[in-house]
Amino acid sequence: MDREIELIVKKPTQSASGAETLGEESLGADFWAFMQEVGGNEDTDGKIKHLVNRTYTIRWDDTVQQKSNALILVDGGQRFEVLHVIEIGRKKHLEIRVKRYE
């Protein structure tokens, strides 16, 4: 586990006019993770998009497991959408599957 990552929770908030928007709040702790490139491809739908797929393995954390799909993972300034969080072992590690469109 050699990469320091940040996890951010997407939370619904209300603006002054009453409209609901998505705000962001850091989980307050940086996590150390093992990153593995799963693959990627290019999509040419009007303009070229690069899809990056990765998995990050971190030590087990109850909050991360509960919030799973409402998270954003930040690694080196790049933001990734969390697709799925998988428990590895019994409260040992979590595998976070993410994607990023560039």
Side-chain angles (χ1 to χ4, degrees), residues 10 71-73 79-83 97-100:
K10 295 183 275 188
L71 293 173
I72 298 169
L73 187 143
R79 296 167 63 93
F80 296 89
E81 178 185 347
V82 174
L83 299 175
R97 295 188 179 177
V98 299
K99 75 173 181 179
R100 178 174 190 249

Side-chain angles (χ1 to χ4, degrees), residues 69-102:
N69 293 7
L71 293 173
I72 298 169
L73 187 143
V74 180
D75 179 14
Q78 296 181 346
R79 296 167 63 93
F80 296 89
E81 178 185 347
V82 174
L83 299 175
H84 195 60
V85 176
I86 302 167
E87 185 175 357
I88 300 173
R90 185 162 174 82
K91 295 187 177 183
K92 296 260 184 207
H93 294 93
L94 294 173
E95 181 181 277
I96 304 171
R97 295 188 179 177
V98 299
K99 75 173 181 179
R100 178 174 190 249
Y101 286 106
E102 295 180 336

Side-chain angles (χ1 to χ4, degrees), residues 10-84:
K10 295 183 275 188
K11 296 176 70 171
T13 58
Q14 224 173 23
S15 68
S17 64
E20 194 169 295
T21 60
L22 279 179
E24 296 179 355
E25 181 181 311
S26 177
L27 285 183
D30 289 328
F31 296 89
W32 288 93
F34 170 74
M35 186 270 294
Q36 184 176 6
E37 288 282 347
V38 176
N41 61 6
E42 289 187 5
D43 181 22
T44 55
D45 192 22
K47 62 180 182 178
I48 296 178
K49 292 182 183 178
H50 298 283
L51 176 64
V52 177
N53 292 320
R54 292 182 176 177
T55 64
Y56 289 86
T57 304
I58 63 169
R59 286 186 171 73
W60 188 85
D61 184 272
D62 187 45
T63 306
V64 174
Q65 188 175 24
Q66 288 177 4
K67 302 287 183 186
S68 65
N69 293 7
L71 293 173
I72 298 169
L73 187 143
V74 180
D75 179 14
Q78 296 181 346
R79 296 167 63 93
F80 296 89
E81 178 185 347
V82 174
L83 299 175
H84 195 60

